[in-house]
Amino acid sequence: MSHRLQLSRRQVIASAGVLGVAGGAGVAGVAGVAGTRARDAAAESVAGRQVEFHGPHQAGVATPVQGNLHFAAYDVADLDRAALIGLLQDWTATARELTASRRVGGIDAQSRLAPPSDTGEALGLGAANLTVTVGFGPDLFTERVGLAGERPAALADLPPFAGNLLDRARCGGDLALQVCADDPQVALHAVRNLTRIAAGRAAVRWTQLGFGAASPTAAAPTPRNLFGFKDGTANIPTDDRAELAEHVWAHSSDGSPWMAGGSYLVARRIRMTIETWDRTSLHDQEAVMGRTKDVGAPLGSARERDTVRPAVLPASSHVRMAHPSRHGGARLLRRGFNFVDGTDELGHLDAGLFFLAFQRDPRRAFVPIQTELASHDAMSTYIRHTGSSLWAVPPGVGPSGWWGETLLG
């Protein structure tokens, strides 16, 4: 039991005296202690959960989605092939330690005259389901590291979509780290230490924080986006191996054998015009979405997971426009996170959805879907795409492996 729970009888009585008066004081004090115990038990449960780092696929793709995101894109310095390999090997070794809740660099005694090998802000917080997932951007596949001929065809540049308002400072990069955890400080700790280790070899280009997990499994409650609607009902369940194999994992036969077991990630920063949406009637909001706001059922149905019948939905509703029947059966594994980055110069929330979607080939999944949405989706009136990037996410590694070894090894 945590030392915080080992309260003496005198401490309990003192707590009661502070929290209540007369006969109700003791009850309030005991309730306060019970609440503390419940909170500590929940914190210990979060801290103790750990995701396996090794496997045929990287963790953080088909992993049940955690509550917090810290995404970071990096530009690499003028590295040769050996230096890039060294960076990826160092990152892999560090991610192993981080996801196992071990101190970076071990626990051997260090000189007090040197900086500590671990920045320390996550000590005692446990693993908290931490995952660290690496991605390679299109610009990494150049002559400078001898990769000009290795760029997968599926990593083709995304086309310009109608309505894009992209901020180039929030786009692109050579390398990406998607770091997710149930404790935001654990996620920050991972990005902070991996960035420090990369000093002189790679520098942060842009970052994005997020919160509020997407629906992780078919049985889990579906969380809501900042428009107040359930988001992720039709997502590929992370435990559906057949759907993942068909729509998410790259195959050696797809043209880049080194990507077999990996995936392709599209990241889009989607700002929502919250103030305009909040002045829109409930009827119009539901017509835009194609679902009821309270239950999340397709319009004309009673339950959230009732079969979607696109023909009975409003012609430009989001659910109808995004339905696989319009795109040859294309599907994505989404891991979207809400974000709030303060307010703009008008006092409006700079908030929305950081859209993360894994797929076997963006040319056959995200591109046709987004082309349709950008041109015809009623929701386009209320959103602005302000950031965009594309990443090749290599396969997972074994106990002695390192990220990118199928490409660079």
Side-chain angles (χ1 to χ4, degrees):
M1 180 179 292
S2 169
H3 70 278
R4 289 172 293 178
L5 305 183
Q6 296 174 351
L7 302 178
S8 69
R9 182 173 179 273
R10 179 177 298 175
Q11 288 172 311
V12 172
I13 293 173
S15 297
V18 171
L19 294 172
V21 294
V27 174
V30 171
V33 173
T36 299
R37 287 177 174 171
R39 288 192 297 272
D40 284 349
E44 289 172 2
S45 176
V46 168
R49 294 197 290 266
Q50 183 174 322
V51 178
E52 175 59 45
F53 180 76
H54 304 113
H57 316 293
Q58 286 195 64
V61 181
T63 303
V65 183
Q66 305 93 318
N68 300 277
L69 167 77
H70 197 138
F71 195 98
Y74 297 80
D75 290 327
V76 301
D78 190 14
L79 303 182
D80 59 17
R81 189 183 187 95
L84 178 60
I85 290 173
L87 171 60
L88 292 171
Q89 289 176 333
D90 290 347
W91 267 4
T92 308
T94 302
R96 277 195 186 94
E97 296 178 319
L98 291 165
T99 55
S101 192
R102 295 192 295 265
R103 290 191 186 187
V104 175
I107 58 175
D108 293 337
Q110 292 182 277
S111 168
R112 300 184 68 83
L113 299 180
S117 59
D118 189 304
T119 54
E121 70 274 21
L123 295 178
L125 297 182
N129 273 333
L130 175 69
T131 57
V132 183
T133 312
V134 73
F136 301 157
D139 291 341
L140 189 67
F141 294 88
T142 62
E143 291 291 350
R144 57 180 167 160
V145 289
L147 294 178
E150 299 293 338
R151 179 174 173 176
L155 198 64
D157 292 338
L158 298 177
F161 297 106
N164 273 358
L165 291 174
L166 301 181
D167 176 357
R168 292 299 168 187
R170 297 181 181 273
C171 300
D174 296 318
L175 297 171
L177 292 174
Q178 176 201 264
V179 178
C180 302
D182 289 330
D183 187 320
Q185 192 150 316
V186 171
L188 168 64
H189 173 255
V191 172
R192 181 178 174 184
N193 281 272
L194 290 161
T195 300
R196 178 176 55 87
I197 288 167
R201 296 179 287 180
V204 172
R205 179 183 179 91
W206 56 269
T207 64
Q208 182 65 57
L209 303 182
F211 62 91
S215 182
T217 65
T222 307
R224 296 180 183 270
N225 59 32
L226 297 186
F227 282 158
F229 280 77
K230 292 188 174 185
D231 194 348
T233 300
N235 199 20
I236 297 174
T238 58
D239 52 2
D240 190 329
R241 294 185 178 182
E243 288 289 289
L244 294 174
E246 181 178 355
H247 297 289
V248 178
W249 305 128
H251 296 201
S252 58
S253 60
D254 293 341
S256 295
W258 69 268
M259 273 291 293
S263 190
Y264 294 91
L265 169 63
V266 172
R268 304 276 287 185
R269 185 181 188 274
I270 304 173
R271 182 173 178 180
M272 297 175 168
T273 55
I274 300 292
E275 290 75 16
T276 303
W277 180 261
D278 289 347
R279 293 192 295 269
T280 301
S281 71
L282 176 60
H283 174 273
D284 287 351
Q285 288 184 4
E286 292 184 334
V288 166
M289 289 294 184
R291 288 186 180 273
T292 61
K293 192 165 190 176
D294 53 355
V295 176
L299 295 182
S301 300
R303 295 176 297 274
E304 177 188 352
R305 300 191 184 279
D306 284 349
T307 300
V308 174
R309 296 172 293 160
V312 306
L313 300 179
S316 60
S317 64
H318 179 72
V319 171
R320 181 168 178 169
M321 291 294 100
H323 196 267
S325 63
R326 299 186 67 90
H327 315 287
R331 298 193 69 191
L332 305 165
L333 175 60
R334 299 178 54 221
R335 288 177 61 90
F337 289 82
N338 299 323
F339 72 84
V340 178
D341 292 337
T343 55
D344 62 17
E345 65 278 3
L346 298 176
H348 295 166
L349 281 172
D350 182 4
L353 176 72
F354 192 62
F355 174 90
L356 297 168
F358 292 90
Q359 61 232 272
R360 183 174 172 180
D361 188 336
R363 298 170 300 174
R364 297 178 176 87
F366 177 77
V367 171
I369 294 172
Q370 182 56 31
T371 299
E372 181 87 351
L373 295 178
S375 300
H376 304 296
D377 185 8
M379 193 190 297
S380 297
T381 301
Y382 301 94
I383 61 176
R384 306 288 183 268
H385 289 250
T386 59
S388 179
S389 56
L390 176 65
W391 312 93
V393 176
V397 300
S400 60
W402 46 277
W403 286 326
E405 63 182 333
T406 56
L407 171 65
L408 294 159

